[in-house]
Amino acid sequence: MNLCMIGTGYVGLVSGTCFADLGNRVFCVDKDKNKIDKLNSGISPIYEPGLNELIKKNYSVGRLIFTNDLKKAISKSELIFICVGTPNKKNSNDVDLSFVFKAAKEIAKCTKNKKILITKSTVPVGTGDSIEKLLKKLRKKNIEVISNPEFLREGEAIRDFRFPDRIVIGSNDKKHFNTLKKLYQPLISKGANFFTTSRRGAELIKYASNAFLATKITFINELANLCEKANINIEDISLGMGSDSRIGSRFLRAGPAYGGSCFPKDTKGLVSTGEKFKTNLSIVKSVIKSNENRKKLHTEKIKKILGSLKGKRIAFLGVTFKPNTDDMRDSVSLKMIPALCKQGSKITYYDPTGSKKNFKNIKNCKFKKSIRETCYNVDLIIIHTEWDEFKSLEFSKIVKKKSFSIFDLRNLYNQNQIKNKNIKYYSVGRPNSN
Ligand code: UDX
């Protein structure tokens, strides 16, 4: 099939490349000329394992086309996917849909024949209806609007595309399900569940899934607080609970607090949708609050570990919100590092994806090019992100100070083994963690 992806951000670029790899001809369109030029010279604007190779492979055989020419891309495509960003509005839970509507208007301008428009961006309940209304106003009755939310995780996106748990299609007109089924047939044949529902239903499934996963993480994080006080190991609780098939073991790992481009934004977006439909989603509201409060708890704990923060040298291993991505959006480090520096600490940090502009203007916060340089002379090492290269470090050989502590926010190390080396070790939700 011929497809057009509007927006070459995370969703559009990964999905477009993977669709091309399934044998489709895919036009990836973006207004940002710089991005398109980069892509045409073989450079991916995002960091995602395996993506560069897949882009090169499909670009070289002409199945992947990067262009600014929306009109041409639309005229050659049967299906048009909207993959633009849907951030929260500033200081609000509401979702900013301006990029979505702008894209819909541009599609309308360029469309003559019958087309299917599919929203892949995460959009609140009723957005498909609003796009339809807009198209009617523009006298474009020949464009059908369908919802097909994406569930890709950063760092695992290509695997998630190829082996999805489910493919969700929302349409108020059943005849479109077959067109989408044809597109996804290679994945359905491998066992993906093809799930069809109303357009509003598909829109809500995306928000409900992300809010539920965020709730699961927040639940285990709060229990980790209890475990620290009651001298219980949170990992036993996660295993014990997770082996109940009704609960499931995934997304039950206690950590610093959830972050990233989706959970923080989508939990807020769901609360805002609840308000629009006069429904109090009190659980989701408490999840947002608990997750925010959690970020402050870490600074308090560090103060306790170090006695005072003034003049103390602290190393951060990893600053992105999760491994295998360079994404800093809503990463816990964005709250922790400024708070620690403000109280007089000196921070060095290392991340496999390089220095971050987020910390450029913070006095006493410096990027170092290696783990060794970062930890050289510090009082405390904070393991912030679970990159593989942080999982088996010989800390006593790396740190030159006689006495130092480790605060492992990801529970990467066995605490008995590390304590035997005379290192003061603190982790999350494990006995004697606090
Ligand atoms: C998420 C959803 O999983 C994906 O389906 C959706 O389309 C986009 O949002 P992503 O944000 O890439 O994906 O990362 P994910 O792996 O879900 O992790 C999100 C956050 O939760 C991270 O901060 C991670 O560290 C945290 N997390 C995850 C935990 O703290 N504990 C866990 O057990 C799992």
Side-chain angles (χ1 to χ4, degrees):
M1 286 174 122
N2 287 333
L3 316 176
C4 170
M5 316 300 289
I6 300 182
T8 57
Y10 208 84
V11 178
L13 187 58
V14 173
S15 312
T17 306
C18 290
F19 276 134
D21 205 48
L22 292 180
N24 301 288
R25 188 158 178 246
V26 183
F27 294 85
C28 290
V29 186
D30 206 294
K31 288 197 125 176
D32 187 338
K33 195 174 172 305
N34 197 17
K35 240 182 184 179
I36 293 297
D37 288 346
K38 265 189 177 169
L39 283 162
N40 276 321
S41 60
I43 304 163
S44 163
I46 57 167
Y47 176 91
E48 178 64 34
L51 184 62
N52 258 331
E53 294 78 356
L54 217 56
I55 290 176
K56 275 189 192 130
K57 177 184 158 198
N58 288 285
Y59 184 82
S60 65
V61 292
R63 278 199 300 261
L64 200 51
I65 299 117
F66 300 113
T67 176
N68 300 114
D69 191 343
L70 181 68
K71 202 169 177 184
K72 190 171 156 206
I74 287 182
S75 71
K76 291 189 184 284
S77 304
E78 296 142 79
L79 306 179
I80 303 156
F81 288 87
I82 293 189
C83 307
V84 296
T86 51
N88 288 117
K89 287 182 185 162
K90 213 171 175 197
N91 300 324
S92 159
N93 287 339
D94 294 351
V95 181
D96 178 358
L97 289 169
S98 55
F99 301 112
V100 172
F101 290 122
K102 213 167 158 205
K105 273 186 205 159
E106 279 169 15
I107 294 166
K109 251 200 260 164
C110 301
T111 306
K112 285 195 187 94
N113 312 327
K114 219 170 158 56
K115 296 280 175 194
I116 296 181
L117 190 165
I118 302 156
T119 49
K120 231 186 197 318
S121 308
T122 302
V123 293
V125 172
T127 303
D129 301 350
S130 306
I131 296 176
E132 200 170 78
K133 242 191 216 162
L134 173 81
L135 294 173
K136 263 192 195 147
K137 223 167 108 186
L138 298 171
R139 296 178 205 281
K140 293 284 174 181
K141 285 190 184 154
N142 52 348
I143 306 177
E144 303 285 347
V145 185
I146 290 179
S147 166
N148 170 214
E150 61 82 24
F151 300 97
L152 309 177
R153 285 167 302 164
E154 290 185 23
E156 317 268 349
I158 293 170
R159 200 206 147 273
D160 283 352
F161 183 94
R162 288 178 171 161
F163 302 99
D165 289 328
R166 78 299 207 191
I167 294 153
V168 175
I169 307 294
S171 172
N172 297 341
D173 186 343
K174 283 189 180 146
K175 72 171 181 278
H176 298 304
F177 293 143
N178 276 337
T179 314
L180 271 297
K181 200 170 187 179
K182 201 173 128 202
L183 174 70
Y184 280 109
Q185 194 52 51
L187 308 181
I188 299 166
S189 308
K190 279 193 295 182
N193 178 15
F194 186 76
F195 184 78
T196 58
T197 177
S198 65
R199 193 166 56 204
R200 285 186 169 205
E203 290 167 342
L204 185 56
I205 285 170
K206 172 66 195 270
Y207 279 95
S209 302
N210 275 355
F212 187 80
L213 292 171
T215 305
K216 225 176 154 185
I217 296 167
T218 307
F219 182 84
I220 207 71
N221 281 342
E222 285 201 351
L223 282 190
N225 295 344
L226 173 63
C227 285
E228 286 180 14
K229 300 246 162 74
N231 221 23
I232 299 166
N233 192 337
I234 189 65
E235 283 157 359
D236 292 345
I237 308 308
S238 297
L239 283 172
M241 282 173 68
S243 53
D244 182 330
S245 60
R246 292 171 302 175
I247 298 172
S249 58
R250 296 174 74 192
F251 283 74
L252 267 189
R253 218 173 359 93
Y258 64 75
S261 61
C262 291
F263 289 173
K265 163 177 90 70
D266 294 347
T267 41
K268 288 180 190 161
L270 185 56
V271 166
S272 157
T273 298
E275 277 157 11
K276 189 176 155 204
F277 289 93
K278 301 201 175 3
T279 306
N280 181 14
L281 298 174
S282 65
I283 294 174
V284 190
K285 282 183 192 166
S286 341
V287 165
I288 297 169
K289 203 165 163 194
S290 172
N291 198 60
E292 264 321 297
N293 288 340
R294 183 164 187 78
K295 299 177 191 172
K296 293 178 207 141
L297 290 183
H298 305 316
T299 316
E300 290 311 307
K301 190 160 163 177
I302 293 166
K303 232 187 237 170
K304 231 166 136 187
I305 296 171
L306 293 173
S308 138
L309 293 174
K310 209 163 170 50
K312 295 287 163 49
R313 293 177 186 274
I314 302 175
F316 267 73
L317 293 183
V319 288
T320 53
F321 83 99
K322 65 182 259 186
N324 302 319
T325 178
D326 58 356
D327 202 336
M328 287 295 292
R329 279 177 287 178
D330 268 300
S331 179
V332 176
S333 67
L334 293 174
K335 283 274 158 71
M336 286 178 79
I337 290 182
L340 293 168
C341 287
K342 205 171 165 195
Q343 294 182 63
S345 299
K346 293 182 173 142
I347 308 281
T348 44
Y349 76 94
Y350 166 76
D351 192 278
T353 57
S355 72
K356 303 293 166 198
K357 61 177 187 306
N358 314 69
F359 303 128
K360 248 190 185 131
N361 296 327
I362 299 181
K363 210 178 139 202
N364 288 330
C365 175
K366 298 218 159 27
F367 172 73
K368 299 281 174 186
K369 284 200 178 94
S370 68
I371 298 173
R372 201 168 272 273
E373 282 175 77
T374 308
C375 301
Y376 182 71
N377 197 17
V378 294
D379 301 292
L380 175 70
I381 296 172
I382 296 174
I383 303 176
H384 175 276
T385 315
E386 67 273 41
W387 287 92
D388 280 346
E389 61 192 272
F390 304 150
K391 288 181 179 165
S392 46
L393 294 172
E394 288 276 2
F395 291 104
S396 317
K397 287 189 185 156
I398 295 170
V399 185
K400 291 298 163 214
K401 259 198 167 167
K402 259 201 177 136
S403 164
F404 65 93
S405 308
I406 295 174
F407 183 14
D408 181 358
L409 283 165
R410 300 288 178 172
N411 289 357
L412 297 186
Y413 286 85
N414 174 312
Q415 51 183 1
N416 293 328
Q417 276 175 13
I418 216 155
K419 276 180 181 163
N420 285 343
K421 292 179 184 158
N422 282 330
I423 299 170
K424 281 172 254 154
Y425 176 79
Y426 305 83
S427 49
V428 177
R430 302 202 284 199
N432 307 319
S433 281
N434 49 346

